[in-house]
Amino acid sequence: MCTGHGLCTASECSCNPDWSGQSCDVSKKVLPTRVKDTFEDRDGVKESRWSVMIGGEIDDACGPVASGDSLHFYKRCSRELRTADLDLRSVKYVQFYFRYGCLNTPDHRDETVIVQYTPDGGSTWKNILELFPDDSNLRFVSINLPGEAKQDGVQIRWWQPSNSGVQQDDWQIDNIFIGGNDEASDTFQEDDPASWIDTDNVELSTYCGDEAISWIGDAGGKDFSENTVLGTADVNVGFSSMLQFMINVGCNQPIGSPVNPVHLQCSTDHGLTWSAVQDSCLPTDPSCSRRAVAESVYYATQGWQSSTMLLPAHCVSEATRFRWIQFPSDDHRTTWAVKNIYTGQQCPDMCTGHGDCQSSVCVCDWGWGGPNCARKEKPRLEFTHDRLTATDGPIGQNDLDGQQVEPGQGLIFPYIHLSTTVSYEVIEPNEVDKEPDTSNQVKPEKDDFQGDQPTADIWWQVQGGEQGEPCDELVSNPALVFNATGMRQLITVNMDLRDKRYMQCYIQIGGHGTRPGCETPTSRDHSVFIHYSTGGAMAWEQLRELNYDAYTSPQLLHVQFPVEARTSATRLKFWQPKGANRPAWSLDDCYFGGADINPSQLDWVSSIDQPSKPWIFHPGGRLDSGYCDSQEQAMVWGNDNERKYLQLKPMIIDEGFMIQFTVQRQSYHNSFSAYFDRCLANNLR
């Protein structure tokens, strides 16, 4: 019958213009090998994808099926959606979202929708699947194509044999995808449209001041009620495969702001079921033999967050999909973006979290070098006749804000921050290789949480916590209190711990009161865990489990850093497993320090003028001169009921050492309601 692509005349086929062969079964043009349609264009379906569309229109009258608009069949007479001719010889499946009965549910089998294919232009149709109404109604459907349908010149259709009339037995369809190869690619190409299946409420654009193009999620669509999803096509994932990407959630929202997180998931059954790439591993789970691990969920950070991971066994298959998904939230509507996505064979040591893996080769971040980006390097600039060359690639001289660079003049070069912000600095040619003067630069090493918010130079992420009143006073209010629903975690920036031996904080978990969050903890899942990472948060090692029943009253926590944690770029993380009815936990006066060789003496007068002060904490105290008519600077506390003390940094103390200091006091004499100065000088030796 000329395979439906021609007319039979005198027992011979007269083929249509685009077909040839004795039976008109050879296409003269290359036919599409995939179809992807999200039905967001209300002008109608595209003829390049669909040859027939009867009885439906694109609308959102019944709400989203996958996201936004869908193709809604509710009109009288025939209802059918048919593809154009396709080359399905290497195609694996047909997938779509489907829903019955927005207006009226079918009540007879003739009113169900049937998925069919034709190899002969519609002369004959063969059933693939009949879609019966069920209780779940909205469903994701994945159909493996039968072998007979894998031919050139095949059409697929969704067809409802009969209906009871207009707005009766209606149905919706969305996010149709016909594709997938029998052999999925081993690598993922971010800029290839064929690499993506789901892009619900996601678009390509710039994000948060970054000039690079990223995939941006817009927080639940136009009415904030939909999932925001970025999903890959199938990728061949082996036991040595890795996944790497950069993510930005919330675009630099203030530290501690509540956000709607983004979940990273994988599927090995073509998207029918999904699981977290990194499962949570909690102490009370008998099936979990590892130390406590949090789920692969991403919250707000300052700037872009790089994530690198060796893919676990449950994500390994010949056709694995990944998706970044944000579920709708009425409380927190947070945008997010993803870029620089790579999956494939891992680079050496997965670039130790300090570089991008590209075709199994590490491209190191600024300031890092070596085949695995594990070596910290001083960025070096070299001047040539036509360009400046940096350690991470050439910088064209016309790229520097249009300013020309001439030999013999000062060099103007961009200093690249990891957040991709670019600032400019002028350096004379003979100054390029000199070490910068950092003698007056003091890196923050403590936080007493007395400012407007946690110290941004120390904390990279604060999730589920804010400065406020703890269950019991730890040192001096406020403290950093974690009492929100969802994830509760606190992560430092990359810290140089090579010359630091320990950390200390005051901490409390729950309490003995009746205020919300101050109940007595009762389960190991109420514990707080401390982890460290030396690979840019790529993987975490457990440092300490703070047992739930040991910190119900404020305690001073002291943790020695193991040798493995004392690197030039280590992150520390406090976190509490998610769950219902968890007690709050609070931190105050956190300090990171303790040198390998401590000083053996302290000269107060000279030391207080140095950038690095000799003390750790002094709650309520301030440096002041003129107290009790003294001309020297002293640590002064006010007349209140707050705790007052001065804690010095560690020192070497040996036999025969002495301590000397002066104490002065002024007070009110309550019996006479008069103010008296009583400056008591006590020289203690």
Side-chain angles (χ1 to χ4, degrees):
M1 294 187 290
C2 305
T3 61
H5 301 127
L7 298 176
C8 185
T9 305
S11 301
E12 292 185 357
C13 287
S14 177
C15 299
N16 295 338
D18 292 333
W19 295 86
S20 63
Q22 283 188 335
S23 57
C24 301
D25 58 348
V26 179
S27 176
K28 292 182 180 180
K29 61 182 182 180
V30 178
L31 297 178
T33 58
R34 69 195 300 268
V35 173
K36 183 177 184 294
D37 204 333
T38 58
F39 303 108
E40 296 299 323
D41 186 355
R42 294 202 177 186
D43 291 336
V45 298
K46 292 180 170 54
E47 294 181 358
S48 60
R49 301 170 184 163
W50 310 106
S51 60
V52 175
M53 197 283 287
I54 302 173
E57 68 178 8
I58 297 174
D59 65 23
D60 63 353
C62 296
V65 177
S67 68
D69 294 339
S70 62
L71 188 54
H72 185 196
F73 289 85
Y74 66 92
K75 298 181 181 180
R76 66 178 73 253
C77 301
S78 299
R79 297 175 184 171
E80 178 183 352
L81 176 66
R82 185 191 308 184
T83 69
D85 288 312
L86 304 173
D87 180 358
L88 301 184
R89 287 175 293 184
S90 62
V91 171
K92 195 169 184 178
Y93 44 71
V94 179
Q95 297 183 327
F96 52 94
Y97 285 85
F98 186 87
R99 178 164 63 195
Y100 271 121
C102 158
L103 303 174
N104 182 270
T105 305
D107 55 10
H108 191 277
R109 187 173 180 183
D110 287 346
E111 297 166 346
T112 60
V113 175
I114 305 172
V115 185
Q116 300 178 312
Y117 75 92
T118 176
D120 51 21
S123 297
T124 59
W125 289 93
K126 298 182 179 181
N127 289 356
I128 302 176
L129 180 68
E130 184 174 354
L131 299 169
F132 293 99
D134 59 20
D135 293 336
S136 62
N137 205 349
L138 177 62
R139 70 194 84 172
F140 173 73
V141 181
S142 182
I143 307 170
N144 287 327
L145 276 177
E148 311 87 66
K150 294 185 176 184
Q151 303 179 40
D152 195 18
V154 174
Q155 295 178 352
I156 305 288
R157 78 170 178 179
W158 290 257
W159 173 55
Q160 189 176 32
S162 66
N163 61 78
S164 301
V166 64
Q167 297 187 351
Q168 301 295 309
D169 316 317
D170 62 309
W171 48 283
Q172 296 169 273
I173 194 167
D174 200 4
N175 280 24
I176 293 177
F177 179 72
I178 302 173
N181 298 319
D182 289 329
E183 294 185 5
S185 174
D186 293 333
T187 58
F188 178 81
Q189 302 296 326
E190 182 180 359
D191 56 355
D192 183 0
S195 295
W196 301 101
I197 292 180
D198 294 318
T199 54
D200 298 335
N201 299 311
V202 173
E203 63 178 359
L204 280 172
S205 187
T206 58
Y207 186 72
C208 203
D210 183 10
E211 295 183 357
I213 298 298
S214 310
W215 286 102
I216 301 174
D218 69 350
K222 58 188 178 183
D223 61 357
F224 305 103
S225 63
E226 304 172 6
N227 293 336
T228 304
V229 186
L230 177 65
T232 71
D234 295 331
V235 182
N236 186 3
V237 173
F239 286 99
S240 61
S241 296
M242 63 174 283
L243 175 64
Q244 177 178 276
F245 57 93
M246 295 191 73
I247 186 168
N248 187 327
V249 180
C251 185
N252 297 329
Q253 289 194 6
I255 288 181
S257 298
V259 299
N260 190 16
V262 176
H263 299 250
L264 174 63
Q265 301 175 332
C266 67
S267 172
T268 57
D269 55 9
H270 310 305
L272 285 173
T273 59
W274 294 88
S275 61
V277 170
Q278 177 64 68
D279 290 324
S280 61
C281 181
L282 303 181
T284 53
D285 185 353
S287 65
C288 182
S289 59
R290 299 168 295 164
R291 292 177 173 177
V293 177
E295 188 179 344
S296 51
V297 181
Y298 297 86
Y299 294 84
T301 60
Q302 294 298 296
W304 288 87
Q305 172 184 357
S306 178
S307 183
T308 305
M309 64 192 73
L310 181 66
L311 290 170
H314 70 269
C315 292
V316 172
S317 79
E318 295 181 351
T320 300
R321 293 182 186 179
F322 299 96
R323 73 176 181 182
W324 292 260
I325 180 169
Q326 183 186 56
F327 300 105
S329 170
D330 293 331
D331 298 327
H332 313 303
R333 296 167 180 173
T334 311
T335 60
W336 54 279
V338 175
K339 67 176 182 179
N340 296 358
I341 302 167
Y342 170 84
T343 181
Q345 289 299 306
Q346 62 177 288
C347 288
D349 298 322
M350 295 190 290
C351 307
T352 61
H354 301 302
D356 291 334
C357 188
Q358 298 180 9
S359 302
S360 300
V361 176
C362 289
V363 178
C364 300
D365 294 334
W366 184 269
W368 295 88
N372 61 354
C373 302
R375 184 176 66 248
K376 199 154 190 179
E377 294 183 344
K378 172 189 168 187
R380 179 183 179 86
L381 296 172
E382 298 176 354
F383 181 72
T384 66
H385 287 293
D386 60 350
R387 66 184 180 181
L388 293 173
T389 302
T391 55
D392 60 349
I395 303 172
Q397 73 177 64
N398 291 323
D399 293 335
L400 305 180
D401 272 355
Q403 302 185 55
Q404 300 296 314
V405 181
E406 300 294 339
Q409 294 183 353
L411 308 183
I412 304 176
F413 68 95
Y415 181 80
I416 310 298
H417 298 273
L418 293 183
S419 62
T420 71
T421 302
V422 178
S423 60
Y424 292 75
E425 184 177 357
V426 178
I427 295 183
E428 294 301 320
N430 61 351
E431 298 289 326
V432 169
D433 290 326
K434 286 188 177 180
E435 290 286 351
D437 181 10
T438 59
S439 59
N440 291 321
Q441 297 179 11
V442 179
K443 296 181 179 179
E445 56 187 12
K446 61 185 178 181
D447 197 347
D448 59 7
F449 305 108
Q450 298 299 305
D452 293 335
Q453 61 181 16
T455 304
D457 289 336
I458 294 179
W459 308 112
W460 179 60
Q461 183 181 101
V462 181
Q463 180 62 38
E466 62 182 357
Q467 292 182 183
E469 183 179 352
C471 295
D472 297 297
E473 185 178 69
L474 278 68
V475 180
S476 60
N477 291 338
L480 187 57
V481 181
F482 290 82
N483 197 23
T485 59
M487 177 60 75
R488 299 174 183 173
Q489 66 180 6
L490 175 67
I491 305 178
T492 70
V493 299
N494 279 329
M495 305 183 76
D496 189 345
L497 299 185
R498 290 174 295 182
D499 63 344
K500 300 187 185 335
R501 298 176 57 193
Y502 65 86
M503 60 160 287
Q504 67 178 48
C505 293
Y506 283 90
I507 185 169
Q508 182 181 20
I509 304 175
H512 302 284
T514 58
R515 284 171 44 201
C518 295
E519 305 86 359
T520 302
T522 58
S523 165
R524 194 177 175 192
D525 283 346
H526 296 163
S527 299
V528 174
F529 297 86
I530 306 176
H531 286 193
Y532 73 90
S533 172
T534 59
M538 178 179 66
W540 295 92
E541 294 291 333
Q542 186 162 306
L543 192 59
R544 181 76 65 87
E545 177 181 349
L546 306 182
N547 195 273
Y548 66 96
D549 61 357
Y551 293 90
T552 54
S553 298
Q555 303 284 335
L556 177 61
L557 168 72
H558 184 96
V559 180
Q560 292 284 132
F561 295 135
V563 174
E564 298 80 8
R566 296 177 64 184
T567 75
S568 60
T570 301
R571 284 184 180 172
L572 301 169
K573 175 171 72 171
F574 298 76
W575 70 283
Q576 184 183 40
K578 292 191 295 184
N581 301 318
R582 293 172 298 168
W585 55 282
S586 308
L587 290 175
D588 204 357
D589 278 14
C590 289
Y591 171 71
F592 309 88
D596 286 324
I597 301 178
N598 293 309
S600 59
Q601 63 180 6
L602 168 63
D603 185 336
W604 177 270
V605 175
S606 61
S607 65
I608 60 176
D609 292 328
Q610 298 299 315
S612 181
K613 305 302 182 187
W615 52 76
I616 299 177
F617 292 109
H618 48 89
R622 70 184 190 280
L623 272 179
D624 194 6
S625 58
Y627 183 80
C628 276
D629 299 324
S630 171
Q631 300 304 311
E632 296 180 349
Q633 282 195 314
M635 185 66 68
V636 179
W637 286 266
N639 183 26
D640 53 45
N641 294 323
E642 297 289 333
R643 184 184 303 184
K644 305 175 181 68
Y645 65 81
L646 175 68
Q647 180 182 359
L648 299 179
K649 292 181 178 178
M651 299 179 61
I652 296 175
I653 302 297
D654 205 349
E655 186 176 354
F657 278 40
M658 62 170 285
I659 180 171
Q660 173 179 291
F661 57 94
T662 298
V663 176
Q664 294 179 327
R665 185 182 66 185
Q666 61 178 220
S667 66
Y668 287 94
H669 193 288
N670 293 328
S671 60
F672 295 99
S673 301
Y675 178 75
F676 290 88
D677 273 335
R678 293 194 301 163
C679 296
L680 307 178
N682 304 300
N683 294 326
L684 307 180
R685 292 175 173 80

